[in-house]
Amino acid sequence: MLFETFYPDCWMDSTYAIDFDELYREGYRGLIFDIDNTLVPHGAPADERATALFLHLKELGFQCCLLSNNQLERVTMFNKDVNVHYIENAHKPSVKNYRKAMELMHTTLENTMFIGDQLFTDVYGAKRCGMHNILVKPIHPKEEIQIVFKRYLEKIVLYFYQKNRKSGRI
């Protein structure tokens, strides 16, 4: 089916509900994150929760990279409190910068996980690259108009994703 191209490997309520300790035990060493509505509300700086998460990830031994379609000013504003690798203006779903993120972290497709809140940029780019991925529900409902339109299309894809999971097809 056409929609399967966009199905995430896993769908979670929140980035903060992911068991990163378990991912580390499973052999993952690199984590690539979208920022807006994945880690914080759109346009927000890193908050205490995000800062604590990245501190924990570094303590576990993860390499991390932010992969954002936003411009440098937005990405560096968020990154100043988490201090990880980053790539701005990433042109997701283009695979080029997913690969560049792995180069920065010295990781491979087998041990890198992507986490993001959008199917048609974040998850689709990771899938095109062959990268494991987790879709998370958006943190905040307020979004830019072009994203609002994509969310309607995402609902259709996620309806079939859930239907196929329930029936055991995926």
Side-chain angles (χ1 to χ4, degrees), residues 26-59:
E26 290 174 7
Y28 291 98
R29 295 298 180 263
L31 299 170
I32 303 174
F33 291 92
D34 176 54
I35 301 172
D36 287 327
N37 264 336
T38 296
L39 293 164
V40 293
H42 186 82
D47 56 18
E48 287 182 28
R49 188 167 68 160
T51 305
L53 173 64
F54 282 97
L55 184 63
H56 179 66
L57 295 174
K58 290 173 188 178
E59 287 170 352

Side-chain angles (χ1 to χ4, degrees), residues 19-80:
D19 187 344
F20 289 103
D21 295 58
E22 179 60 27
L23 288 179
Y24 193 85
R25 283 190 294 276
E26 290 174 7
Y28 291 98
R29 295 298 180 263
L31 299 170
I32 303 174
F33 291 92
D34 176 54
I35 301 172
D36 287 327
N37 264 336
T38 296
L39 293 164
V40 293
H42 186 82
D47 56 18
E48 287 182 28
R49 188 167 68 160
T51 305
L53 173 64
F54 282 97
L55 184 63
H56 179 66
L57 295 174
K58 290 173 188 178
E59 287 170 352
L60 285 173
F62 279 111
Q63 289 291 313
C64 299
C65 186
L66 306 172
L67 187 64
S68 176
N69 284 348
N70 278 299
Q71 300 303 308
L72 182 62
E73 182 180 2
R74 164 67 182 125
V75 178
T76 55
M77 181 260 283
F78 177 87
N79 194 48
K80 73 179 175 59

Side-chain angles (χ1 to χ4, degrees), residues 109-129:
L109 279 174
E110 293 74 33
N111 68 6
T112 304
M113 178 71 71
F114 183 88
I115 297 112
D117 70 301
Q118 292 189 53
L119 282 179
F120 302 123
T121 52
D122 298 330
V123 169
Y124 183 51
K127 289 185 70 103
R128 288 180 67 211
C129 191

